[in-house]
Amino acid sequence: MLPLVFIFLHVFSEDGYRLWLRYAPVENAVLLQKYQNQVKNIVLKADTPSLKAAKTELETALLKMLGIRPVFTETVEGRNNLVIELPDDFDVIKNNTGAQELQVIGNEGFILRQIKNENFIIVANSHVGLLYGVFRFLQILQQEQPLPELNVVDAPKTQVRILNHWDNLDRTVERGYAGFSLWDWFRLPDVIHPRYIDYARANASVGINGTAITNVNANAQILTPVYLEKVKALADAFRPYGLKVYLTARFSAPMELDNLPTADPHDKQVQDWWNRKVEEIYSYIPDFGGFLVKADSEGQPGPHNYNRTQAEGANMLADAVAPFGGIVMWRAFVYDQHMPEDRTKQAYNEFKPLDGKFRDNVIVQVKNGPLDFQPREPFHPLFGGMEKTNLMMEFQITQEYLGFSTHLVFLAPLYEECLQFDTHAKGKGSTVAKTIDGSLYGQKLTGMAGVSNIGTDRNWTGHPFGQANWYAFGRLAWNPYLGSREIANEWIKMTFTKNHDFVRPVKKMMLDSRETCVNYMTPLGLHHIMAAGHHHGPGPWVEGRRPDWTAIYYHRASADSIGFNRSSSGSNAIGQYHQPVAELFDNSKSCPEEFLLWFHRVPWDYRVKSGNTLWDEMAYRYNQGVNDVRTMQQTWNSLKDFVDNERFRYVESLLGIQEKEAVWWRNSCLLYFQTFSNMPIPDAIEQPDKTLEYYMGIRELYMPGHH
Amino acid sequence: MLPLVFIFLHVFSEDGYRLWLRYAPVENAVLLQKYQNQVKNIVLKADTPSLKAAKTELETALLKMLGIRPVFTETVEGRNNLVIELPDDFDVIKNNTGAQELQVIGNEGFILRQIKNENFIIVANSHVGLLYGVFRFLQILQQEQPLPELNVVDAPKTQVRILNHWDNLDRTVERGYAGFSLWDWFRLPDVIHPRYIDYARANASVGINGTAITNVNANAQILTPVYLEKVKALADAFRPYGLKVYLTARFSAPMELDNLPTADPHDKQVQDWWNRKVEEIYSYIPDFGGFLVKADSEGQPGPHNYNRTQAEGANMLADAVAPFGGIVMWRAFVYDQHMPEDRTKQAYNEFKPLDGKFRDNVIVQVKNGPLDFQPREPFHPLFGGMEKTNLMMEFQITQEYLGFSTHLVFLAPLYEECLQFDTHAKGKGSTVAKTIDGSLYGQKLTGMAGVSNIGTDRNWTGHPFGQANWYAFGRLAWNPYLGSREIANEWIKMTFTKNHDFVRPVKKMMLDSRETCVNYMTPLGLHHIMAAGHHHGPGPWVEGRRPDWTAIYYHRASADSIGFNRSSSGSNAIGQYHQPVAELFDNSKSCPEEFLLWFHRVPWDYRVKSGNTLWDEMAYRYNQGVNDVRTMQQTWNSLKDFVDNERFRYVESLLGIQEKEAVWWRNSCLLYFQTFSNMPIPDAIEQPDKTLEYYMGIRELYMPGHH
């Protein structure tokens, strides 16, 4: 049987659709035989949708990986059974798991363990937990790990692990660079594309358990019956995979849909409207997850319109969904162009005083940094700043400010850097991760959101390596303490090959790629100097009517200096951090150099740690970014023999774009900042071959993600 | 070897991506062996891109169909060779083809023939001709036809066989219902998606040799260097497949791109601008096909703005492209809301006086009917109306007015009905087909355009049966005299299965489907009563500021009568036809009943041929349409065993939508027209279960194809 499978894999090209669920044939012959023995008999009663899904996944995966069709039974007999059951169903399980570990795994965790008689058990307290366990088991096989050594007791550390799709009802995707929205609203609810199921499978395979399917810049129409019927169809398709649906709630919906005179959260009519609307939603979707809300920001309506607080707005919605077990994810991304205050301080100023004022089923969703998904930001001071409020992390998976889907930038290091930052909120060791998993303050509701990079492109994420960011997000939402290296390792093996000669260089390329991007875009703490509107390509010269959307607001370059003084002598943004973090950031000498121009205004001839002037260092770093992209190209080109032709060529083409754009970034930023520094670009680096006027004249039209 | 291939085909689901190029294994064992013998040795020198493409196609197809890898050689030895060469290359070919037949096949045709020694030859005068021959040969294998009987001498009857993509630069598609535009402008020119090649393959396989890749509602940006570089990349990818690229030219481009004060075709500056622009385009794309232009219609700029004729506008562009061998396709779809004249008469009135005034490299592109791609229209009177002008047909493949991509409507019967209409322009037998292939008036430049139904949906056309319309268009552009039945037969066998028990009922379903759609939407000559704007669903009640975009302008229902009087006592549109067609249409008794309300205003109690009153007949036909959709559902459901699960279920879901919408059409139209007729809906038919108010209250938002 096996040869068929192998031949199949070589005959047909890989288009990236299968993600990290490729289930490539096991190559190690010894392991292969052991695996085949281990899964010959599978004890699994597939009597619920989740267990049916688990069974189908096993059937598909084991045929492809091991070339066998296992026998599914309902009884344990003899040796070499794979037993997948709830704890009470079999003695073999009861005798091999303890009450305490069953408590540890909670409702979504699982135990994987080889026991005596060479039986292997997958145990969980719920059917979705069993499904998660099956996916983990298959991942172990995909990575060709020996089974006897396994003893996994794992459970997610956060509760709400959710993708945020900024998808509009016309199928455009705000900040989406992988085609258009997966949701085919026109054909819903009648047509359930197989892709919806594959989407749910991929999410379940990394433990993502929620999806907010509509844009935070919300459209009230999604709350009307004609759309709720469509949402229900998606929810029904996702349910077996433990994936709950959430919707974005437009705060002014009562006015727009039913002509109420107000959306004031204190207004009884408004409250009644939301109560009825929520009841209606749950009549379609009994396990509806709840609402995600962007209010009072960038033109979205919100409680400010009625002089109410963010807490009053959130609590009204929370009260409506509470009877049904729903939650409200309320975004902290609130800022106002009319506020004279440093934009990076505004969210903290707004939310800090509300600490303790939110309902138990509200969770405040905070972006990783205080600005807006830059290639590098310090952590958001609300992490560690809200003791009595449920807080969840919002990472951006889609690369709005990191080269869209044409740049290879592995984001796990960015996520990890943020999660491992020590807020010192309760003394040393108070990492950001601990502020969002409940371990620091004991919050009951925890979570992590990722702004999706998924679209209709055949490979889901536009860039084949964009899949790694979806994967990494899922893994970190499950366990915020995982390392980037481990995540990269898993992903590469499952997505490409287990061959060490491929894994090692690709892992290095991925792990370095974020710093490379920082270097060619925004080294030394520079931020928000992308082109206006679509945010693609350099725009350090961007001015405009709304200062907080310009580049010059952020870099403040002048003939003598550059950088935003957020120290105690400036906007005092550092004052929003606990000590000793505040002090560390406050002093330009102690401030980590990667945040230098974020927190400080520094003369061009300032000497950085390398001994270079700031100007020279900036030039070297920009150039280093370009060189590092070229190194990525060399690495990739040397690996042609390990990759199918289609994916090899696609990545090769994209790296070509990335190299051109890294040069574009370096040249235009150096030429532009040189008009202030008046210092020469060091001879040692490649000189710009075009003029500043040329670069400033580039206008990119019809950009994806910006409609 | 064979079993592998067979197993593969059953393990993996069919998502429709492979179109009619599935190359399913040959099932007839006797034929299989004969085929295997015949193609064991292939004599083909793959030294040009087109021949490389032919070789790759043969390799892929023969492996999948026959399970063999043929040997490619450059010499003919012994028996059982498949010889694919230009005429002069081998004696075996020279001795088996005549000078006359080589002349008949021209530059794109081919000869397929089994000769002595059981050799088989594919001969053409060009490499693209050989590629076309290879595709035809593979289609013969796909349909499992015996080779010895074959003796094909075939050549296209029209020169320009072109798809018109109404694709915008932001990847939305006007009137597109299969996702978004295939052209990934953002990643072009760097990334060449494999799909571009598959698109070119599919077109070449049916002989489509041109593609106008941008919307006729044109954007001048496509003519700028940044886009021309991208267009060049597409042209390079398509070239091996004989597929030329054309662009839409926005008439006001000189003003928009370079601030010229005018776009007057008589202005020297304007002419120079276009000459330079064309030279620039050809510097990127040496075989650029030319321009497609929509002018002076629906807001598009054109020569009218400067009091110039359509000919003067077209000729300016024609003069610019002539030195490079380019052409201009100038659309006749010109009408003006401020004109009091019957809209269906305006194009004829505008163009007829210009007959003979267009340059030789201009071809006037005329829609099949005088209105706008309705489910049924009489042929456009310009066919047979322009003796001294190159005319090409414009069919709509995308189903703007025929239920979008959720209704199964096979369009070949619509195309065939139009092409076979006898214009009597030069006496009996002067079919529309003869007016566009040069056989009636001897035009040198001929062609057929199809407005594409292709998008990013995995199955290309949204509806799996939409693929049949792409296929049918290509076949009819090649040979406008083909029959719908033959086309359906070919397509079904290659797309699904050759099993007669499947082919027979599906063919019947397809051939009946257009009449079914006419019945549930616009029976008896009704037209343009779709909802406003997006044209989805019924809107017989549509009124509005622009009369020629309302429904009431077209059906003119009143308490006593319904229909548009275009007879000699009315708008006299019939006067644009030759005799005896004009007379046939002029008299309500002789007028074919399917055009009754198109040409005549008729009392509600008028007796039609069946003996029913007009009102009853209308009700019966609407109901018949619904019943026929239900029959389609039954047919499809009975064929589950012949189709893979994925395509079966998808079509099943879509037929469900079609049934619901047919009911919607019937009920709302009957309820609405009943407010005029005041006559009861006959008891024998299913009565509406909702009110007219309900139907009139339906608002469909965010519809595809209408951005």
Side-chain angles (χ1 to χ4, degrees), chain B residues 389-591:
Chain B
T389 303
N390 301 319
L391 280 197
M392 68 191 286
M393 172 65 72
E394 177 175 323
F395 284 128
Q396 199 175 42
I397 311 174
T398 194
Q399 293 171 230
E400 174 179 355
Y401 294 96
L402 292 98
F404 290 15
S405 61
T406 36
H407 290 211
L408 192 166
V409 186
F410 182 49
L411 295 175
L414 185 159
Y415 304 154
E416 185 184 4
E417 177 178 297
C418 175
L419 291 165
Q420 292 310 317
F421 229 109
D422 193 343
T423 70
H424 286 269
K426 286 179 74 175
K428 193 160 160 37
S430 306
T431 59
V432 169
K434 290 187 183 171
T435 71
I436 61 153
D437 72 354
S439 58
L440 197 67
Y441 295 126
Q443 278 94 342
K444 290 282 175 290
L445 181 59
T446 60
M448 193 184 291
V451 180
S452 159
N453 62 343
I454 303 167
T456 51
D457 274 5
R458 182 64 183 165
N459 69 9
W460 300 87
T461 55
H463 202 306
F465 280 79
Q467 300 178 355
N469 295 332
W470 179 9
Y471 181 85
F473 166 77
R475 295 289 284 134
L476 286 166
W478 180 278
N479 181 358
Y481 303 93
L482 288 177
S484 305
R485 176 172 301 273
E486 179 182 352
I487 295 170
N489 203 54
E490 295 167 4
W491 180 81
I492 296 168
K493 286 183 176 175
M494 296 191 286
T495 305
F496 289 104
T497 169
K498 289 148 297 254
N499 191 313
H500 187 66
D501 292 337
F502 179 86
V503 174
R504 192 184 29 76
V506 171
K507 188 157 52 186
K508 176 166 170 36
M509 176 171 88
M510 288 172 71
L511 292 172
D512 291 349
S513 61
R514 186 273 188 122
E515 203 63 39
T516 297
C517 176
V518 168
N519 277 333
Y520 64 71
M521 285 188 183
T522 53
L524 293 163
L526 283 169
H527 49 284
H528 213 298
I529 57 172
M530 291 73 187
H534 52 66
H535 300 154
H536 186 262
W541 45 76
V542 169
E543 307 180 18
R545 275 174 309 159
R546 183 166 172 167
D548 55 354
W549 286 359
T550 68
I552 56 171
Y553 175 92
Y554 295 101
H555 65 66
R556 307 193 165 203
S558 69
D560 55 316
S561 307
I562 182 171
F564 197 129
N565 184 356
R566 295 190 171 104
S567 73
S568 51
S569 70
S571 80
N572 198 33
I574 61 102
Q576 295 181 336
Y577 293 97
H578 294 275
Q579 291 299 6
V581 180
E583 199 183 312
L584 179 85
F585 289 158
D586 197 27
N587 186 320
S588 67
K589 290 298 168 197
S590 64
C591 181

